[in-house]
Structure formats: C-alpha cells, structure tokens
C-alpha cells in the first residue's frame, strides 16, 4: 500500500510517499481501506519531535513509528476473529493511536464508529481527534450541564469549531473568542456572543463563566480567574510554547497558580473512545454539529497540509483525500 513515512524528525520535507506492507489484522482489530484522513496539532508535534520533553515517549533520536496520521474514515475490509460489531463493507471513522492513518489501509482496535449518515468521507475524517477533544474537555473535565456559561478561547480551527457547536448542543450559553476574520464563522456555528481578541481583551469584559475551554492558551491564570465564577473550571487544551516544553510550560504555570481557591484548572489529553464517537455521530446526524472543512489535499500533498497546519492560522479542519 501507499503510505506517508518519515525516517527522522524535521520539517514537512522529511515526509515522503512509499510502498509499504499492508498492516496485519489483529484478532480484536478491523482493517480499514482509508478514504480520507485529517490533520491535527498532534501530527505537527509528531513530525517535528517537539516538545523535546516528550521524546522519551515518541522516540529520543527519531520517531518510534515511520507512519503518521491519526484521524481517518473509510470502509472496513476485514475484521479480526474477536470482532462482532463490524463487518466488511461498513463505513467507519475513528483514530489510529501512534499514527498510521496517512495511508491506504489502517488496522485499529474496534474502537471505531459507523460513519455519520450524510457526511462525506472527508467530513467524517475531520471529526475524531478534534471533536473528541472538545466533547471530553467540555463534558467530562468542565462538567458541562445545560444552562452553564461557556467561553471558548480559540473558537476557530478544528477543536474550536467543534467546541462551539458541542457546547450549544449540550445546552450551554456560548461565548466564542477568535480573530476578526473568524467572527462571522463563530456566529454561524451558534455562538451566542463573539469577542474579537484583536480589539477586546476577553478577560476584562466584566462577564463571568462556569467553564473556559482554553485552546489558544493565551492568558495567564490571574487573567482567567477573574472571569470565572466560584467553583468554575478552566479546561486547558493547548498553548504555544518553546521547542523544549511546548505547551507544557504554560500548563504547569497555570496548574500551580490555581492550586488555591475554589476555581480550578485542569489539563487532559483526549482519548479515542468508541462510545464517544457514537455520541458524536448522533450529534452530527441530528444536525447539531457539522465539521468545518477548510482545505483538502491529496495523499501526496500531506507535507503541504502539515506546513499549513504549522503556520497556526487554520479556520477549520484540513483533510486528506486518499
């Protein structure tokens, strides 16, 4: 099969298309003919080997895996002997832990879900990592309930566009923070209020929130806490940072600063979880959530897609057609 591989960490130029062996089918796995994939921030970290502090897990001198990519959608070609929920011919979507979705085939445990009806393969491939991050951050770590006030800092891009929609679907009053060019998009996704950070500091708005989903990581704890209600939660998704620490430096500072008081700050890494993918499929099929696909690339153009991701200005999801 054709797959995107890399032998070392580096810029997008280290990626290349090669013929490799099709993955072996595990007893508890499904072999999927990949129709589309999508790009996430974690793919950029995998490519560049940053932050350096994570290299004991990803590979000290070079990547542990030659393959790349997490999100995918496609058609089941074969199932392992222990799998009963899927059969060849099923259209599914999900993620590949450790990488491997930028390829014609992927083999994964049966933690996938049936593709939402009405979505193209490209749209379905845009969902897994970004939407799971938004869902788990809001519902599980922010403890979102109907009627709560939510602020999404970084309401464009993959996670941000899903977060606005999922928060609304779960009954929240949503404020979106984004740049000028994304204001109308945030409104179209259902945000009750939109703050353009180029002209207004959202931490000085005088409003208070029950949950801040912080994707941009652009404010300190002292700034965020003044707009949090008592017992409210700041859920940290990411932040910019150095090549050594990446977002972990910002996360550590915020967590330490938030140790005292009734307000709290939490950080998490989203998990690929079949029931949560089913939940997201239901939200999509009900019309409450729709993937925002900004750009499409071919498998041979994955380097270009990751280069664009690395610029940090994506307005939605970047997908790969395979």
């Amino acid at each position: 099969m054709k797959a995107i591989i890399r032998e070392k960490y580096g810029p997008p130029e280290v990626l290349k298309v090669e013929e490799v062996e099709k993955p072996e089918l595990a007893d508890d796995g499904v072999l999927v003919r990949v129709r589309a994939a999508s790009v996430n921030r974690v793919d950029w970290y995998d490519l560049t080997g940053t932050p350096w502090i994570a290299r004991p897990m990803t590979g000290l001198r070079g990547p542990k895996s030659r393959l790349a990519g997490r999100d995918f959608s496609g058609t089941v070609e074969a199932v392992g002997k222990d799998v009963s929920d899927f059969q060849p011919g099923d259209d599914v979507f999900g993620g590949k832990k450790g990488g491997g979705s930028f390829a014609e085939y992927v083999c994964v445990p049966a933690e996938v879900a049936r593709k939402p009806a009405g979505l193209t393969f490209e749209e379905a491939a845009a969902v897994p990592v970004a939407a799971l991050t938004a869902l788990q951050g809001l519902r599980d770590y922010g403890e979102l309930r109907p009627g709560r006030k939510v602020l999404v800092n970084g309401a464009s891009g993959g996670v941000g566009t899903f977060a606005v929609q999922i928060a609304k679907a779960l009954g929240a009053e949503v404020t979106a923070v984004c740049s000028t060019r994304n204001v109308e998009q945030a409104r179209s996704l259902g945000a009750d209020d939109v703050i353009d950070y180029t002209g207004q500091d959202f931490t000085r708005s005088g409003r208070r929130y029950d949950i801040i989903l912080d994707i941009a990581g652009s404010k300190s704890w002292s700034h965020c806490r003044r707009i949090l209600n008592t017992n409210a939660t700041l859920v940290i998704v990411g932040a910019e940072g150095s090549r050594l620490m990446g977002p972990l430096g910002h996360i550590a500072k915020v967590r330490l600063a938030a140790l005292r008081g009734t307000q709290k700050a939490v950080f998490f890494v989203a998990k690929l979880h079949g029931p949560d993918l089913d939940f997201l499929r239901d939200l999509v099929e009900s019309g409450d959530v729709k993937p925002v696909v900004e750009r499409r690339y071919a498998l041979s153009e994955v380097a270009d897609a990751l280069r664009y991701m690395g610029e940090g200005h994506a307005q939605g999801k970047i997908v790969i057609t395979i």
Side-chain angles (χ1 to χ4, degrees), residues 127-260:
V127 174
V129 168
L132 286 171
T133 300
L135 173 66
Q136 294 170 7
L138 291 164
R139 183 194 63 191
D140 302 340
Y141 292 88
E143 300 179 356
L144 176 58
R145 301 291 183 271
R148 292 197 170 180
K149 295 182 179 180
V150 173
L151 181 138
V152 179
N153 181 26
S156 57
V159 178
T161 53
F162 280 116
V164 171
Q165 297 177 83
I166 290 171
K168 285 297 295 181
L170 296 181
E173 179 183 319
V174 181
T175 297
V177 179
C178 58
S179 65
T180 306
R181 71 176 186 145
N182 296 312
V183 166
E184 291 307 316
Q185 175 178 269
R187 287 199 179 105
S188 72
L189 295 175
D192 298 288
D193 188 36
V194 182
I195 297 175
D196 179 353
Y197 68 75
T198 66
Q200 182 182 358
D201 182 348
F202 68 87
T203 68
R204 296 186 179 277
S205 67
R207 306 168 193 167
R208 289 187 174 270
Y209 302 92
D210 301 300
I211 304 165
I212 297 177
L213 189 73
D214 194 7
I215 302 161
S218 56
K219 297 294 182 179
S220 67
W221 172 247
S222 63
H223 285 83
C224 290
R225 68 175 298 185
R226 64 189 178 207
I227 60 168
L228 286 171
N229 286 322
T230 304
N231 300 317
T233 304
L234 170 68
V235 182
I236 308 169
V237 174
E240 295 300 323
S242 66
R243 293 181 65 83
L244 173 62
M245 295 291 291
L248 298 179
H250 171 79
I251 292 163
K253 287 179 182 178
V254 172
R255 291 289 305 277
L256 286 171
L259 288 177
R260 296 180 180 180

Side-chain angles (χ1 to χ4, degrees), residues 4-9 14-15 46-47 63 65-68:
I4 296 293
I5 68 154
R6 66 324 181 17
E7 304 291 350
K8 59 183 180 181
Y9 295 126
V14 303
L15 298 172
D46 282 349
L47 171 67
S65 172
R66 300 169 69 216
L67 300 174

Side-chain angles (χ1 to χ4, degrees), residues 277-298:
L277 288 170
D278 288 331
F279 184 83
L280 290 168
R281 182 193 63 229
D282 291 342
L283 288 180
V284 170
E285 291 183 343
S286 69
D288 291 319
V289 171
K290 182 174 178 58
V292 177
V293 175
E294 181 189 359
R295 296 192 179 193
R296 292 172 169 82
Y297 294 84

